[in-house]
């Protein structure tokens, strides 16, 4: 009897979310299972999703960019010191995750205390390369990782939604921010490429559509810049990296690293394996799923931050240094970009599907959880975040 019971339990799947249940808003897990959001996407309820997400996160990331800094802990507070001088002193519960860049030391006690409050520690190089991360325990949702492995090789439909969403957001950003007229055929071509990507599940073809759209998008990226010198320099070089040849490419690469870092942390929090993606092929050391999720947010967050810091003159020529035929941000330059990036992440928008006000940082978490719901077949199709 026990064997039959275990077999029956293995054959069952997770129950669907409750519909219009009065217990959901009071449940501490409502922000994790997203019952109203899933029911809205499945058209199981006509009611608008209730606001179950806090207006703003209770914690925020802590960045340490000063070379030679030491991150320690005293009592319930995290302290950043440089040569014995305290540069930052924050409560542990106010740290969403810790991101250190370059030659920064983190004490074992600080790691242990950060893990105890569920905070991830991410190490980046001074140039923005992801070196690694640490967390207390991996996600305990084992079936989610099993389903992720099973679906990763057959994720063409999810990859199509990601690429289509990315192209549509690039098109929207161009239409909103262009300071000079953009040829109408560019806007039309981007729309056509997005439509083709949406109906294609072949990953090599999707990468072709994505590449064609990226060429059109970055050929006209300079039209959104106020500084004609910076725009001309970028248009001459185009989108390049490793190393970035001009300041705009340097800020774009740095912003993309920050975005990937945040989505990697979201994957770890949800219980997904960040190395196993559906669009980016798995490769040694590549956080493929975090890169997948980053695609729809590149224009919305990273490209917008780049435009903001240049158009508002938050970075100048003094914010960059040239090394080995490439351009890098200085320490002050990185601080300026980090400040603009966190402002963008704290910016609120009306969710285009669920209609409640939500920050971009919460959008990252919601999209990651919707990806998890798609991987376990709670949703038939992954819905990318599209702005109007």
């Amino acid at each position: 009897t026990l064997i039959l019971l275990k077999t029956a339990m293995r054959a069952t799947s997770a129950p669907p979310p409750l519909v219009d249940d009065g217990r959901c808003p009071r449940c501490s897990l409502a922000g994790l299972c997203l019952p109203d959001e899933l029911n809205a996407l499945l058209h199981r309820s006509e009611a608008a999703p209730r606001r179950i997400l806090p207006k703003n996160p209770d914690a925020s990331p802590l960045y340490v960019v000063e070379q030679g800094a030491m991150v320690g802990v005293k009592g319930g507070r995290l302290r950043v010191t440089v040569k014995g001088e305290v540069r930052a002193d924050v409560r542990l519960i106010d740290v969403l995750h810790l991101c250190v860049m370059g030659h920064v030391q983190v004490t074992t006690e600080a790691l242990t205390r950060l893990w105890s409050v569920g905070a991830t520690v991410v190490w980046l190089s001074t140039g923005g390369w992801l070196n690694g991360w640490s967390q207390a325990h991996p996600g305990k949702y084992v079936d989610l990782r099993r389903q992720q492995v099973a679906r990763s090789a057959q994720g063409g439909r999810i990859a199509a939604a990601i690429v289509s969403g990315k192209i549509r957001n690039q098109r929207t950003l161009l239409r909103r921010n262009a300071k000079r007229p953009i040829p109408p055929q560019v806007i039309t071509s981007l729309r056509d490429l997005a439509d083709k990507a949406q109906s294609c599940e072949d990953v090599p073809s999707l990468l072709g559509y994505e590449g064609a759209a990226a060429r059109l998008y970055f050929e006209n990226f300079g039209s959104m810049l106020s500084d004609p010198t910076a725009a001309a320099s970028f248009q001459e070089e185009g989108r390049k990296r490793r190393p970035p040849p001009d300041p705009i490419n340097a800020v774009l690469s740095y912003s993309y690293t920050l975005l990937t870092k945040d989505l990697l942390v979201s994957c770890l929090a949800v219980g997904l394996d960040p190395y196993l993606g559906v669009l980016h092929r798995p490769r040694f050391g590549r956080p493929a799923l975090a890169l997948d999720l980053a695609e729809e947010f590149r224009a919305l967050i990273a490209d917008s931050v780049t435009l903001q810091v240049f158009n508002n003159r938050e970075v100048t020529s003094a914010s960059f240094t040239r090394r080995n035929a490439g351009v890098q941000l200085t320490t002050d330059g990185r601080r300026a970009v980090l400040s603009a990036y966190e402002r963008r992440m704290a910016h609120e928008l009306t969710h285009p599907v669920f209609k409640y006000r939500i920050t971009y940082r919460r959008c990252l978490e919601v999209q990651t959880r919707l990806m998890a719901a798609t991987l376990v077949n709670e949703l038939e199709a992954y819905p990318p975040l599209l702005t109007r």
Side-chain angles (χ1 to χ4, degrees):
T1 304
L2 181 59
I3 294 175
L4 291 175
L5 179 60
K6 289 183 177 179
T7 303
M9 291 177 65
R10 290 195 195 101
T12 59
S13 58
L18 299 174
V19 179
D20 298 331
D21 193 287
R23 295 171 292 179
C24 285
R26 297 188 295 274
C27 177
S28 62
L29 300 179
L32 304 181
C33 69
L34 303 178
D36 291 340
E37 285 78 355
L38 293 183
N39 285 324
L41 292 172
L42 293 171
H43 306 290
R44 298 178 67 233
S45 174
E46 297 298 327
R50 290 162 289 197
R51 185 181 177 82
I52 58 175
L53 295 174
K55 181 177 180 180
N56 291 306
D58 296 327
S60 58
L62 175 64
Y63 297 93
V64 183
V65 300
E66 186 77 20
Q67 301 305 288
M70 171 77 73
V71 182
V73 65
K74 184 173 182 180
R77 305 184 72 86
L78 205 64
R79 283 191 173 181
V80 181
T81 59
V82 179
K83 296 181 179 179
E85 179 185 352
V86 178
R87 297 291 181 87
D89 188 353
V90 297
R91 298 188 304 173
L92 274 167
I93 59 174
D94 291 334
V95 178
L96 184 63
H97 62 263
L98 173 67
C99 180
V100 297
M101 301 182 181
H103 303 289
V104 177
Q105 303 297 321
V106 184
T107 66
T108 304
E109 186 180 5
L111 285 173
T112 304
R113 296 295 296 277
L114 285 164
W115 293 337
S116 69
V117 296
T120 303
V121 182
V122 182
W123 281 270
L124 302 178
S125 69
T126 52
W129 290 95
L130 177 65
N131 289 331
W133 65 85
S134 69
Q135 61 178 143
H137 298 286
K140 299 177 177 61
Y141 192 177
V142 178
D143 191 55
L144 172 58
R145 293 200 294 276
R146 291 175 56 195
Q147 294 289 345
Q148 183 184 0
V149 172
R151 294 286 298 277
S152 61
Q154 302 173 344
R157 189 173 182 184
I158 301 175
I162 290 172
V163 173
S164 177
K166 174 185 179 179
I167 297 173
R168 293 182 193 280
N169 287 333
Q170 288 176 331
R171 179 175 180 268
T172 299
L173 191 70
L174 279 175
R175 296 183 68 188
R176 281 184 177 178
N177 295 279
K179 303 182 183 304
R180 293 177 290 280
I182 297 177
Q185 59 268 27
V186 172
I187 301 300
T188 302
S189 296
L190 287 173
R191 183 192 61 199
D192 293 342
L193 287 168
D195 291 339
K196 290 178 181 178
Q198 191 170 10
S199 59
C200 175
E201 297 185 14
D202 179 60
V203 172
S205 298
L206 284 171
L207 294 175
Y209 294 140
E210 181 189 24
R215 178 181 59 81
L216 290 172
Y217 173 69
F218 284 114
E219 282 178 354
N220 294 273
F221 191 85
S223 65
M224 297 185 285
L225 292 163
S226 300
D227 186 350
T229 303
S233 174
F234 181 77
Q235 294 305 120
E236 179 182 353
E237 297 289 348
R239 174 68 183 124
K240 294 181 181 178
R241 51 181 184 152
R242 301 177 185 175
D246 62 274
I248 293 176
N249 271 299
V251 175
L252 282 172
S253 295
Y254 192 67
S255 300
Y256 290 159
T257 296
L258 296 175
L259 177 60
T260 304
K261 176 265 299 179
D262 279 329
L263 283 161
L264 184 146
V265 172
S266 293
C267 288
L268 296 175
V270 171
L272 290 165
D273 184 347
Y275 282 116
L276 204 57
V278 293
L279 175 63
H280 294 82
R281 294 296 89 187
R283 193 174 71 189
F284 184 84
R286 171 196 273 179
L289 184 62
L291 292 170
D292 288 351
L293 289 164
E295 294 298 339
E296 67 200 77
F297 288 103
R298 288 183 187 271
L300 299 178
I301 296 176
D303 295 356
S304 295
V305 168
T306 302
L307 294 174
Q308 184 181 73
V309 296
F310 280 98
N311 290 343
N312 294 345
R313 302 186 184 279
E314 296 178 51
V315 294
T316 63
S317 58
S319 305
F320 302 91
T321 181
R322 182 171 292 277
R323 294 179 181 174
N324 300 325
V327 173
Q328 291 183 352
L329 284 158
T330 62
T331 300
D332 289 339
R334 287 195 292 271
R335 288 197 182 103
V337 176
L338 283 171
S339 177
Y341 178 83
E342 286 302 317
R343 286 201 309 271
R344 184 63 176 174
M345 295 296 278
H347 178 76
E348 282 193 350
L349 71 153
T350 300
H351 197 284
V353 177
F354 307 132
K355 306 304 180 186
Y356 48 53
R357 298 289 292 175
I358 186 173
T359 64
Y360 274 110
R361 184 170 297 283
R362 287 288 181 180
C363 282
L364 299 187
E365 180 185 343
V366 168
Q367 291 303 119
T368 306
R369 295 195 180 280
L370 293 179
M371 173 65 76
T374 307
L375 290 173
V376 297
N377 292 318
E378 289 183 4
L379 291 176
E380 293 183 2
Y382 173 73
L385 179 70
L386 303 175
T387 55
R388 293 176 294 177

